[in-house]
Amino acid sequence: MTTELKLVWTDITTLAVDAIVNAANETLMGGGGVDGVIHRAAGPKLAQECFTLWGCRRGMAKITQGYQLPAKHVIHTVGPIWMGGNHGEADLLTSCYNESLKVAVANHCKTVAFSAISCGVYGYPVDEAAHIAIKTVWDFVNQNKELETVYFVVFEERVRVAYQSVLDEVFALC
Ligand code: AR6
């Protein structure tokens, strides 16, 4: 199966996909940004399940149910905090996408929607983050044929512009 990659500008909590990917923190107990929005929309049972997971290391991913969300599951991944680029940030961000996709496939998810991990409070430069997000997903779907559609969900103009320009580059090469 060829996986479709799609850029969408919407609130990720509105998407009826198999899994949405949350930009969480190591506690997995909720926070601000997209994490807070997802927890509010999913309802308190999400935090109850997260509590049983004992947190998540940076660069890794864990899955829960979606509860009151239209999405069946939430994959929680913890992105790097930008500290100038020499602290393993790129490897950690790459790992977030790979680990989330591995968890998705292991749980038979065919449609997965990513938030722009680390592009908000964690301060990752959006052009570099967009490049890592798209390249990592592209490489993964070329090796793994289980996924139908991967959505890159953007919620701010500066992030949309960054993703669009990387996607234009990638598809120009095809
Ligand atoms: N739908 C889709 N994307 C959204 C939404 C939404 N409803 N709301 C915000 N975004 P951030 P991070 C975008 O800060 O940088 C939390 O407190 C937003 O525009 O949510 O990985 C966690 O608990 C931005 O482009 O995540 C952590 O402590 C992107 O989501 C920390 O923030 C990511 O921004 C994680 O920081």
Side-chain angles (χ1 to χ4, degrees):
M1 182 194 304
T2 309
T3 311
E4 261 191 308
L5 304 189
K6 285 191 178 170
L7 179 61
V8 286
W9 185 344
T10 192
D11 175 353
I12 200 165
T13 63
T14 63
L15 295 177
V17 289
D18 292 331
I20 60 173
V21 183
N22 180 19
N25 60 55
E26 286 171 300
T27 70
L28 295 187
M29 293 310 295
V34 71
D35 193 11
V37 176
I38 289 172
H39 272 267
R40 278 193 294 281
K45 286 191 173 157
L46 179 60
Q48 285 166 21
E49 184 176 356
C50 284
F51 184 69
T52 67
L53 299 177
W54 294 97
C56 180
R57 280 187 292 131
R58 220 170 277 289
M60 301 305 287
K62 291 189 177 177
I63 192 166
T64 63
Q65 294 182 56
Y67 298 100
Q68 292 168 28
L69 289 164
K72 289 186 196 135
H73 299 94
V74 181
I75 296 171
H76 307 262
T77 191
V78 186
I81 300 170
W82 181 256
M83 292 190 289
N86 292 320
H87 294 81
E89 292 95 329
D91 288 346
L92 283 170
L93 191 58
T94 302
S95 175
C96 286
Y97 284 93
N98 273 322
E99 293 299 320
S100 297
L101 290 165
K102 281 192 229 164
V103 166
V105 168
N107 287 274
H108 313 291
C109 298
K110 303 239 174 263
T111 52
V112 179
F114 277 95
S115 54
I117 312 298
S118 289
C119 287
V121 177
Y122 282 176
Y124 212 106
V126 291
D127 290 332
E128 291 173 40
H131 195 267
I132 289 172
I134 292 164
K135 183 178 186 313
T136 308
V137 170
W138 177 261
D139 289 346
F140 187 95
V141 301
N142 279 304
Q143 300 294 321
N144 298 268
K145 301 292 172 194
E146 296 90 341
L147 293 160
E148 268 167 28
T149 312
V150 176
Y151 298 90
F152 297 105
V153 182
V154 293
F155 208 56
E156 302 172 69
E157 175 65 6
R158 68 188 182 104
V159 182
R160 187 196 66 76
V161 168
Y163 272 74
Q164 188 63 62
S165 106
V166 178
L167 284 170
D168 289 347
E169 259 174 51
V170 168
F171 289 114
L173 296 174
C174 295

